[in-house]
Amino acid sequence: NLKESALVSITALLNSYSLTTTWIDSGIIPLLSERERMLDGLISNTQTLMANNPDSLVLYAYNLFVDVYNFDKSQVVNFYRDKFSEIRDRMNSETISMLKMEHEKFSAAPAVSGAEYDTLIQSLKQYEDGLQSNYTDKVRSTIIEYVSQAGAREELYQRAWAELSVIASNPSNSTQNFESMVNQFRFVYPTPLN
């Protein structure tokens, strides 16, 4: 029964695409939101520390942390959120919608000829190749890129906080530590810090 085989093939590919969009919606986007909440917490904690330390150099250092965390939120988290959302939206609009139309078309057909079935299978093969190369591989490589970047930033924040504790313990004799911390932040901040 070619009609039944056609519908099974379309459904299988639709499920594959749906799994990838579900992965983005329920796995990756919440991961980005979790990082955003973590950065909000760091900002809040830093602002609390600022309220309890009157030294101008230490306050300036705390402000650098707040600026870099905000940059991380606005540029890094939002960049990847937009990138993954774009991939998901393209899948929904360009492919999943077309596969649903194919499913409706073959469901409505009284029968499917051999030629129609062969054409469908070739078309589905292109969609399957597109899922692998344009979506699955792209999503995986992008999440690896994001996790690597997030990890590097967290290591930077930890190093800078260690140097800040030295600055806070002796603000009058901490120029070298402060310059070191600022130089590290130059790599993650969009404009030079003066």
Side-chain angles (χ1 to χ4, degrees), residues 14-26:
L14 260 172
N15 288 340
S16 297
Y17 270 90
S18 295
L19 280 173
T20 304
T21 58
T22 300
W23 180 30
I24 293 172
D25 282 333
S26 63

Side-chain angles (χ1 to χ4, degrees), residues 28-154:
I28 296 173
I29 299 298
L31 181 70
L32 297 171
S33 297
E34 183 181 325
R35 179 164 186 82
E36 194 168 47
R37 286 191 297 274
M38 180 201 79
L39 291 165
D40 283 335
L42 290 171
I43 290 167
S44 177
N45 289 342
T46 306
Q47 289 169 335
T48 300
L49 292 170
M50 290 170 71
N52 297 321
N53 195 311
D55 186 88
S56 59
L57 181 62
V58 177
L59 286 174
Y60 184 71
Y62 284 144
N63 268 311
L64 294 182
F65 276 94
V66 172
D67 287 345
V68 174
Y69 294 149
N70 275 315
F71 178 69
D72 195 339
K73 278 176 56 181
S74 64
Q75 299 297 314
V76 179
V77 174
N78 284 342
F79 170 78
Y80 283 102
R81 183 181 284 122
D82 290 346
K83 195 166 184 176
F84 285 118
S85 296
E86 181 187 357
I87 293 171
R88 179 203 59 213
D89 293 346
R90 280 186 56 208
M91 289 174 70
N92 281 320
S93 64
E94 294 178 6
T95 308
I96 291 177
S97 62
M98 292 299 295
L99 288 170
K100 286 180 177 177
M101 286 172 59
E102 289 289 296
H103 194 278
E104 288 173 10
K105 182 180 81 176
F106 281 93
S107 294
V112 176
S113 69
E116 287 175 313
Y117 181 76
D118 290 342
T119 301
L120 171 68
I121 294 304
Q122 289 175 4
S123 174
L124 293 181
K125 181 70 172 79
Q126 290 178 337
Y127 282 125
E128 190 174 358
D129 291 345
L131 174 64
Q132 185 64 39
S133 61
N134 295 331
Y135 298 119
T136 309
D137 290 347
K138 189 172 183 179
V139 169
R140 286 191 175 134
S141 64
T142 306
I143 194 66
I144 289 168
E145 176 187 305
Y146 163 74
V147 168
S148 172
Q149 189 170 143
R153 284 169 180 275
E154 285 163 18

Side-chain angles (χ1 to χ4, degrees), residues 161-194:
W161 271 110
E163 290 175 10
L164 181 57
S165 67
V166 176
I167 295 169
S169 66
N170 190 0
S172 61
N173 188 27
S174 53
T175 305
Q176 185 175 354
N177 293 86
F178 185 69
E179 286 178 355
S180 171
M181 189 185 75
V182 170
N183 284 332
Q184 289 180 70
F185 278 163
R186 287 184 196 276
F187 293 108
V188 297
Y189 201 71
T191 55
L193 300 170
N194 296 320

